[in-house]
Amino acid sequence: MELTQLRTFVAVSQSGGFASAADTLNVTPSTVTRAIANLEASLGVRLFQRTTRSVSLTEAGEGFLRRISPALDEIAAAADDACKGSKELSGVLRVGASVSFGQVVIAPNLSRFCGRHQNLTVDLVLSDNLTDLIANRIDVAVRHGDLADSSLIAQRLARVSYRVVASPDYLSANGGITHPKDLAHHSCLTFPYAAFRSCWRFRSGRKKQDVKIDPTIRVSNPSALATCVKSGMGLALLADWMVDRDLADGSLVKVLPDWIASGVGADTDPALWIVTPSRAFVPEKTRAFIEFLRKTISQ
């Protein structure tokens, strides 16, 4: 067995196909086919079930993958440690995030990270769908709220607070708001998601107030929703990472600052999470980006 054969086997297992594995490894599909055939011949066992439409691990292949993955991680970690201090980070780092978080938090700060690591290429993959990290070769991603996929390694990045915000022009034209009940008489803009679209919850000390919302507009993208609010269309409940800069420069105003707001049914402890594929070894380039992101969020 050769190390390249083992790495090829893992790539096919993770990507679910020979062609996608070839793309991941930057080799030809025939090279992948030949490596797997040679590996199966040396082991004397079939590792994959192949059809015209899919490739899946056999029982022997699943067991083999479980045993060799930690060893390959150790080899990669040893190589990574040996290279520390001797050369700059290089290669490709694929980063996944939601569209709005990527636009508002990552993209404006990415030049600082790339400036420090000029031999590293960053692929920023933005999607509001739940991206499969392994199938899409994502090295590190930022996710919001509860994590359903237990196969991922998750690190808490930051807790998220929500603010009810409006533009100065809207508040000037529509009067002050001193109590959550006052929102019933105002134009509220919401997300279409169940936790936010029809009821907002407010707490102040021991007082709790649920307010039913009859939205004039529903917008699924936080950036677009914030734009609507800044244009004076009404109020919205938005995450701190989305609006805190706008609050600081005065383009938005926090409404009901003495109350803590959330969507009814939203996460009891909403948070941002850093997730990486399920493996013990995290490459140095990934660790460097995670540290950069932590510092960016804390500023």
Side-chain angles (χ1 to χ4, degrees):
M1 290 183 292
E2 298 179 0
L3 187 58
T4 54
Q5 293 173 352
L6 299 179
R7 287 173 172 160
T8 301
F9 166 70
V10 172
V12 175
S13 303
Q14 291 178 338
S15 63
F18 283 38
S20 53
D23 184 48
T24 298
L25 299 170
N26 197 27
V27 298
T28 63
S30 61
T31 299
V32 172
T33 301
R34 187 164 54 252
I36 296 301
N38 291 338
L39 179 60
E40 289 179 327
S42 66
L43 292 171
V45 67
R46 194 172 186 84
L47 298 173
F48 292 103
Q49 298 287 2
R50 304 164 177 84
T51 69
T52 55
R53 293 187 177 182
S54 66
V55 174
S56 60
L57 286 166
T58 63
E59 185 177 354
E62 290 176 351
F64 189 59
L65 180 64
R66 284 195 301 271
R67 296 293 297 272
I68 69 166
S69 292
L72 289 177
D73 281 346
E74 283 299 313
I75 293 171
D80 200 52
D81 287 341
C83 291
K84 285 180 183 176
S86 64
K87 68 177 183 179
E88 290 292 322
L89 299 181
S90 60
V92 177
L93 176 70
R94 286 177 61 82
V95 178
S98 67
V99 174
S100 290
F101 190 84
Q103 291 174 333
V104 173
V105 179
I106 298 179
N109 296 286
L110 199 55
S111 62
R112 292 189 291 111
F113 180 77
C114 293
R116 295 172 193 162
H117 309 289
Q118 297 184 9
N119 292 328
L120 184 65
T121 299
V122 176
D123 283 356
L124 183 56
V125 182
L126 303 182
S127 174
D128 290 330
N129 295 322
L130 198 59
T131 304
D132 185 323
L133 269 63
I134 293 176
N136 290 276
R137 311 191 314 279
I138 302 295
D139 297 296
V140 58
V142 178
R143 288 192 173 167
H144 307 257
D146 292 334
L147 299 179
D149 190 346
S150 60
S151 69
L152 300 175
I153 297 173
Q155 305 175 44
R156 189 188 182 97
L157 176 60
R159 191 183 188 284
V160 174
S161 298
Y162 286 89
R163 297 86 157 96
V164 177
V165 294
S167 71
D169 289 344
Y170 177 86
L171 293 177
S172 176
N174 293 276
I177 301 171
T178 60
H179 191 277
K181 290 181 179 179
D182 296 334
L183 297 178
H185 308 293
H186 285 266
S187 175
C188 294
L189 319 180
T190 72
F191 295 109
Y193 316 124
F196 294 93
R197 68 187 177 201
S198 60
C199 191
W200 297 347
R201 175 162 292 165
F202 293 85
R203 288 182 292 110
S204 180
R206 294 184 178 181
K207 295 183 291 185
K208 186 174 74 172
Q209 181 73 51
D210 287 356
V211 178
K212 290 185 178 180
I213 303 299
D214 185 16
T216 55
I217 292 178
R218 294 192 183 110
V219 183
S220 63
N221 179 275
S223 296
L225 185 55
T227 299
C228 291
V229 176
K230 283 187 277 189
S231 70
M233 297 179 67
L235 306 100
L237 182 62
L238 288 164
D240 49 7
W241 56 263
M242 171 58 64
V243 299
D244 276 358
R245 290 186 180 180
D246 294 320
L247 293 172
D249 66 25
S251 57
L252 288 176
V253 176
K254 186 177 180 181
V255 178
L256 299 169
D258 296 329
W259 293 77
I260 297 172
S262 66
V264 173
D267 300 321
T268 56
D269 184 21
L272 292 168
W273 297 89
I274 296 170
V275 294
T276 54
S278 181
R279 58 188 180 193
F281 166 61
V282 178
E284 181 65 20
K285 62 184 179 181
T286 302
R287 291 200 293 267
F289 184 81
I290 291 172
E291 180 63 22
F292 159 77
L293 201 54
R294 289 192 182 282
K295 291 180 178 178
T296 298
I297 288 290
S298 65
Q299 290 176 351

